[in-house]
Amino acid sequence: IAEDGRLLIRDEPTSYLSFLYPLLIAPAWLASSMETTYVLVKTINAILITLAAVPVYLWARRLMTGSYAAITTVLVLLMPSFLYSGMVMTENAFLPAFLLAAWTIALALERPTLLRQALAFGAIALCASVRVQGVVLVPIFLTALAVDGLLDSRSRDGKGIVAALRARARAFRYSLILLSVLAAGYWLVKYVQGEPLVTGLGAYQPLGTADYAFAETARWTLYHAAELSLSVGFVPVSAFLVVLALAAWGGASSAAERAFLAVTASATVWLVPVVAAFAGRFVMRIEERNLFYLAPLFLLAFGAWLSRGAPRPLVVAIPAALGPAVLVYFLPVASFLNLRSLSDTFGLLPFLRLAAELDGGLESAESVAVFGGFAAALLFLVLPRALARVLLPAAVACFLVLMSYNVSREIQDYARSIKSITYGDDGNWVDDKIGERSEAVYLLG
């Protein structure tokens, strides 16, 4: 792109991977040296991924008081996932794009004007242009419509489930018509071209043609749900479950909260099984990097729960607290503690480092993860409300800081190790050996 504006890989056309992200980082390749280019790419990445704080804060202000909105935004910025800014990966642009799309969908649910619906569609298209995975926002949007209607029917002035769903369908009739037209047009184009529908996925086409076993997908869904809970410190997931249960029980506290819960629940229902199906079929490891976009939503739920006074009616608080811990109990943490987590599962990397320090190794690290889950559940249940509103966000913040620190150290240690066993302290010996204008083979192992 920097040379002649064409999207090529090694001078050859390639299946669609990402359209927008290469455009955003292409200016860095105008620098005079690759060292400068890499620094510029990381700078662009840092700016892009930090922009995620903007939709988070604006969304938080609609759900909670200003102080808790600030706390929630800080918690999001402490996530270990922000370390992806040091890597040339679409995650850096996809996180803010996904959160922007989720927020605009919630705004449209809250007040379904044509402008807000148009903004939601625009944000979804923006997200999909960063990575094809963004198309999942379409079924998330449709599912959120139904969930929002169901939650609305539980409010004091609710008109019943059927009436609420009909009201949503009328309010979003133009959006539904547009989606129907786009789907029919896409099918017609592929029919005329004589190509399968999955060809629109570009480089991800094999995902649409593979066979998925239900039992395996269910097992990997459990694994991914457990690791996602672990990656945010359990408590935010418990808080989300409590707020969702209270909204289903007696109605949400506001239209903004109802829309937020609808989007978060729908995104979880779609993203976790979809990523799990991919992981269980193709890579056989937990793919947190395709799922961590949900973490800010749970942290938003945590802030909303705190702002509401940390309500914990026992009938919903006990299962909400124990659920995430039980999931981790059934997660074979030790089997996933390996170097394959370096690029895909930041939430487990600190336990890999911990295993090296404990006498029991991987099994002891797994026990620590399980113990942490039940300890978090106990704190969530027994802390007095006044203390919970102070100590729980502080505990989650400390957990995220420790996770980020250990993930960073693990990545740095691995990089130093690879450098020492490949090209040493000075990589110039390659140029000295073959001449600066020659080509060298690079083997990625």
Side-chain angles (χ1 to χ4, degrees):
I1 293 173
E3 290 176 357
D4 55 18
R6 292 188 297 163
L7 185 59
L8 305 174
I9 294 183
R10 303 196 178 203
D11 300 323
E12 296 291 339
T14 183
S15 299
Y16 172 78
L17 288 166
S18 173
F19 174 73
L20 186 58
Y21 182 67
L23 290 177
L24 292 171
I25 63 173
W29 267 259
L30 298 175
S32 57
S33 70
M34 187 52 62
E35 182 178 5
T36 303
T37 291
Y38 188 37
V39 172
L40 291 175
V41 169
K42 291 190 287 185
T43 302
I44 295 171
N45 282 342
I47 294 171
L48 288 174
I49 200 167
T50 307
L51 285 175
V54 176
V56 167
Y57 181 73
L58 294 176
W59 204 350
R61 287 304 304 267
R62 306 185 72 83
L63 301 170
M64 61 198 81
T65 61
S67 58
Y68 282 111
I71 290 172
T72 299
T73 306
V74 170
L75 290 178
V76 170
L77 290 172
L78 293 177
M79 288 168 44
S81 306
F82 280 76
L83 291 169
Y84 281 117
S85 61
M87 307 177 191
V88 189
M89 298 172 68
T90 57
E91 278 70 10
N92 295 287
F94 193 78
L95 177 63
F98 179 85
L99 292 174
L100 176 65
W103 176 50
T104 55
I105 291 173
L107 289 177
L109 292 176
E110 185 181 341
R111 189 157 59 90
T113 64
L114 288 178
L115 176 60
R116 291 191 175 193
Q117 293 179 51
L119 289 174
F121 277 105
I124 291 174
L126 177 71
C127 190
S129 72
V130 175
R131 196 161 75 205
V132 178
Q133 186 185 359
V135 299
V136 75
L137 284 159
V138 175
I140 288 174
F141 174 51
L142 295 174
T143 306
L145 281 178
V147 176
D148 186 64
L150 292 174
L151 293 177
D152 188 24
S153 69
R154 302 298 299 165
S155 61
R156 293 180 180 179
D157 55 348
K159 302 176 181 179
I161 295 176
V162 175
L165 293 177
R166 285 178 177 173
R168 293 300 178 281
R170 285 195 300 270
F172 287 89
R173 60 187 180 276
Y174 295 116
S175 292
L176 296 175
I177 291 173
L178 176 61
L179 285 175
S180 300
V181 170
L182 290 175
Y186 176 75
W187 176 86
L188 182 61
V189 169
K190 292 302 176 182
Y191 178 78
V192 172
Q193 293 176 343
E195 297 179 350
L197 295 177
V198 295
T199 55
L201 296 177
Y204 300 94
Q205 181 178 337
L207 306 184
T209 57
D211 294 325
Y212 299 96
F214 177 80
E216 280 296 290
T217 299
R219 181 167 66 92
W220 283 92
T221 297
L222 184 150
Y223 292 167
H224 281 74
E227 197 278 337
L228 180 62
S229 300
L230 171 62
S231 70
V232 295
F234 300 103
V235 173
V237 176
S238 299
F240 165 72
L241 293 174
V242 168
V243 176
L244 179 63
L246 292 177
W249 190 355
S253 62
S254 64
E257 183 182 271
R258 186 179 67 233
F260 163 74
L261 292 172
V263 172
T264 303
S266 301
T268 303
V269 166
W270 276 100
L271 272 177
V272 176
V274 167
V275 174
F278 162 73
R281 176 64 177 81
F282 289 97
V283 295
M284 305 302 291
R285 62 175 180 262
I286 295 176
E287 286 291 300
E288 181 195 305
R289 72 182 180 92
N290 290 329
L291 202 59
F292 76 86
Y293 317 107
L294 291 175
L297 302 185
F298 290 118
L299 292 172
L300 279 167
F302 181 43
W305 176 74
L306 292 170
S307 185
R308 288 184 59 170
R312 287 169 296 183
L314 291 180
V315 68
V316 295
I318 291 178
L322 293 178
V326 170
L327 283 177
V328 173
Y329 176 80
F330 288 104
L331 174 67
V333 174
S335 65
F336 293 112
L337 296 181
N338 50 62
L339 291 179
R340 299 177 73 189
S341 301
L342 275 167
S343 62
D344 295 276
T345 322
F346 283 179
L348 295 182
L349 280 182
F351 296 94
L352 179 61
R353 292 183 67 84
L354 185 63
E357 304 295 332
L358 298 177
D359 292 336
L362 298 178
E363 287 73 19
S364 295
E366 181 175 312
S367 299
V368 170
V370 174
F371 174 79
F374 285 101
L378 184 63
L379 287 176
F380 183 81
L381 290 171
V382 305
L383 276 179
R385 285 193 178 189
L387 284 177
R389 298 178 72 181
V390 176
L391 294 183
L392 286 181
V396 172
C398 290
F399 173 80
L400 293 175
V401 168
L402 287 173
M403 293 283 281
S404 296
Y405 172 77
N406 281 283
V407 171
S408 177
R409 289 291 302 274
E410 187 68 26
I411 293 173
Q412 290 176 0
D413 290 348
Y414 180 73
R416 293 190 185 100
S417 175
I418 288 296
K419 181 178 180 180
S420 66
I421 65 175
T422 51
Y423 61 86
D425 293 330
D426 184 8
N428 288 332
W429 67 268
V430 178
D431 290 335
D432 296 339
K433 185 71 174 179
I434 66 174
E436 292 187 359
R437 293 192 176 184
S438 301
E439 291 186 356
V441 173
Y442 173 71
L443 177 63
L444 177 62

